[in-house]
Amino acid sequence: MAEPARFYHTLRVRYSEIDGQGIVFNSHYMTYCDVAITEYFRNLGILVVGDDAFEFALVRATLEFKRPARLDELLDVHVAVPRLGNKSFTARFEIYPHEDKRPGSPYLEAEIIYVSYCVEEGRAIPVPDRVRERIERYERTGI
C-alpha cells in the first residue's frame, strides 16, 4: 500500500503465537489477517456470522515477511480492499508496530483474494450489492 489503509485493527502478540526463536510463528500472521478482515467488515456493518451474513472464502494468499514481531508487542493490522470483482475481492494487509505507519516499516505485507461464497451451494457467487456498496463507499470516503 502506498500509504496506510483507512482501517486497522490492533492486537497483541500472545505467548502461544511465538516460536522457539521468540518471534511470531509465520502461520499466525494469517490469523492476524483473518481477525482484521472480520473487524473490517464489522466496522462496515457487514455481518460475517449468522443470518444475513456475508460469507466468503480465501482462494489465494501471498505473504511477504519483512521483519519479526515479538511477544507482547501491539500490532496494527491495516486492511484495504483495492479490487472488487463480480465474485471476488482482493484485500491488502500491512502489519505495523502499534501507531507506527512509516513507509517501509511493516512486519508483513500480504495480499489475499477471497470469493463471495454460498455454503449451501458450495460455490462462488456474486458479491451482494449491499456488501459491494459499503466496501466501495468506505474505500472511497472512509465512511
Side-chain angles (χ1 to χ4, degrees):
M1 288 180 249
E3 56 186 67
R6 295 179 191 278
F7 178 83
Y8 68 91
H9 178 69
T10 303
L11 49 81
R12 183 179 302 277
V13 175
R14 298 172 298 179
Y15 181 78
S16 63
E17 298 164 347
I18 62 171
D19 62 16
Q21 298 168 327
I23 60 176
V24 174
F25 184 68
N26 57 18
S27 65
H28 289 291
Y29 288 99
M30 288 294 296
T31 300
Y32 298 163
C33 292
D34 188 58
V35 168
I37 195 72
T38 300
E39 294 302 323
Y40 173 90
F41 285 123
R42 184 187 319 273
N43 182 63
L44 271 58
I46 298 169
L47 299 175
V48 296
V49 176
D51 297 340
D52 200 34
F54 170 50
E55 300 197 32
F56 55 95
L58 185 150
V59 294
R60 181 172 187 231
T62 304
L63 286 73
E64 186 174 343
F65 300 92
K66 301 291 192 172
R67 59 191 176 113
R70 300 182 185 284
L71 176 64
D72 220 26
E73 283 189 77
L74 286 175
L75 307 177
D76 290 342
V77 185
H78 292 252
V79 182
V81 177
R83 192 191 74 72
L84 192 54
N86 180 40
K87 295 180 180 180
S88 67
F89 63 96
T90 300
R92 292 215 176 112
F93 301 85
E94 288 184 346
I95 299 178
Y96 290 93
H98 184 55
E99 297 184 349
D100 177 6
K101 296 156 187 75
R102 295 170 296 178
S105 68
Y107 290 118
L108 173 111
E109 294 177 354
E111 181 176 275
I112 300 179
I113 299 172
Y114 299 94
V115 294
S116 177
Y117 191 74
C118 177
V119 174
E120 293 81 22
E121 298 176 23
R123 66 179 181 88
I125 59 171
V127 173
D129 289 340
R130 65 183 169 77
V131 172
R132 177 180 302 285
E133 291 164 5
R134 288 183 189 171
I135 292 171
E136 288 173 344
R137 182 179 67 232
Y138 185 77
E139 291 297 328
R140 190 176 60 253
T141 67
I143 300 173

